[in-house]
Amino acid sequence: MTLNSNIKFLRKQKSLTQETMASAIGISRSKLAGYELNVNPPLETLVKISDYLGVSVDILLREDLASYSPYKLRELLETDQFLRGRKLRILATTVDEQGRELIEVVSQRAKASYLAGFSDPEFIAELPRFALPFLPMDKKHRVFQIDGDSMLPIPDGAWIVCEYVDDWLAIKDGERYVIVTEQDGVTFKIAYNRINSDQKLLLCSANPIYPPFEVEVEQVREVWRYRLAMS
């Protein structure tokens, strides 16, 4: 396992002393020294190390970072940060007079323009919007109108309330998502996460007459997790 050497490698890449890093994540310097040698940290500490170094736990465990060229290393870490939403990813939104975020409504007609305008504050501001007081206030929500029969029993024309997903690595197999891609625009499907293995999402319909298909993660622009439907 490359975990121990990766921790040491990334710490040195960032020009951090053991004392500085240990203090930042709330452990002793001797414990960090052990983690850099051959002691595996507990999960809670591993997550803190991952967050502090700005890299996913998966990469810490699986990749031998010291073996990468400087270019490949930078490419790997930048891709990881983008997928986890740590790179700048613009989400245009609207608020009420009290500064509370509203829920924008993307109708079937607006879906045709959404791909071009999803990051444009003026486009988003022109969408109908409302508030649902029973939804969590710390999450961003948006409503999409679906078309077709690929996601039965949710019918054609239904409105679905979705929650914004900033960490694409957290997409869960078998759950329903609205995926916005360069090629297909706004798509409502059952997703299977293949990002770690081959940088793709497998998208399936609930209606078996429609075949599944894959999308390259580099084509993805937004991900929204399905919460509820309103007919």
Side-chain angles (χ1 to χ4, degrees):
M1 183 181 293
T2 59
L3 171 62
N4 312 101
S5 60
N6 280 341
I7 294 173
K8 182 177 182 179
F9 176 76
L10 289 175
R11 177 180 62 78
K12 290 191 171 184
Q13 284 280 308
K14 295 176 180 291
S15 301
L16 298 167
T17 65
Q18 287 183 336
E19 185 174 354
T20 299
M21 179 172 166
S23 176
I25 61 178
I27 61 174
S28 66
R29 190 202 63 79
S30 60
K31 279 191 175 181
L32 179 59
Y35 299 154
E36 291 186 354
L37 291 174
N38 54 14
V39 178
N40 291 330
L43 180 58
E44 181 179 354
T45 303
L46 178 57
V47 172
K48 290 181 180 179
I49 292 172
S50 165
D51 289 341
Y52 183 73
L53 294 175
V55 63
S56 67
V57 171
D58 185 72
I59 283 181
L60 282 176
L61 293 172
R62 293 175 181 269
E63 305 293 334
D64 181 9
L65 298 179
S67 68
Y68 282 78
S69 68
Y71 171 78
K72 284 294 185 182
L73 178 65
R74 184 172 64 252
E75 182 181 49
L76 174 69
L77 297 182
E78 287 182 351
T79 299
D80 180 66
Q81 290 180 17
F82 176 73
L83 292 172
R84 293 166 62 81
R86 288 174 171 159
K87 285 281 186 179
L88 177 63
R89 191 182 296 154
I90 298 173
L91 176 64
T93 187
T94 57
V95 297
D96 63 14
E97 294 178 351
Q98 286 74 44
R100 295 172 296 193
E101 287 193 344
L102 296 170
I103 301 172
E104 301 84 16
V105 179
V106 183
S107 65
Q108 289 182 3
R109 174 182 289 183
K111 283 169 63 177
S113 305
Y114 188 80
L115 179 60
F118 71 90
S119 62
D120 182 353
E122 292 186 5
F123 172 81
I124 297 299
E126 293 176 355
L127 296 173
R129 50 197 182 273
F130 66 104
L132 287 176
F134 57 83
L135 291 175
M137 297 297 294
D138 61 338
K139 304 290 185 182
K140 173 61 187 175
H141 297 89
R142 189 158 288 167
V143 170
F144 297 87
Q145 186 179 28
I146 67 171
D147 57 312
D149 60 352
S150 67
M151 292 298 287
L152 294 173
I154 301 177
D156 177 33
W159 304 89
I160 58 171
V161 180
C162 299
E163 174 186 303
Y164 183 67
V165 177
D166 56 358
D167 183 356
W168 298 348
L169 295 173
I171 294 173
K172 296 181 179 179
D173 290 349
E175 291 196 0
R176 290 170 285 190
Y177 294 87
V178 167
I179 310 291
V180 182
T181 69
E182 284 284 356
Q183 183 174 357
D184 301 297
V186 180
T187 305
F188 180 44
K189 296 295 178 184
I190 300 168
Y192 292 88
N193 195 333
R194 303 292 184 264
I195 293 176
N196 281 328
S197 59
D198 55 12
Q199 296 290 294
K200 294 179 181 179
L201 294 175
L202 175 65
L203 303 183
C204 303
S205 300
N207 188 335
I209 70 171
Y210 296 98
F213 61 96
E214 293 181 327
V215 295
E216 300 281 349
V217 73
E218 64 183 18
Q219 295 291 318
V220 177
R221 294 297 172 263
E222 283 188 343
V223 178
W224 299 82
R225 183 170 69 90
Y226 168 82
R227 293 295 303 273
L228 57 96
M230 301 179 291
S231 297

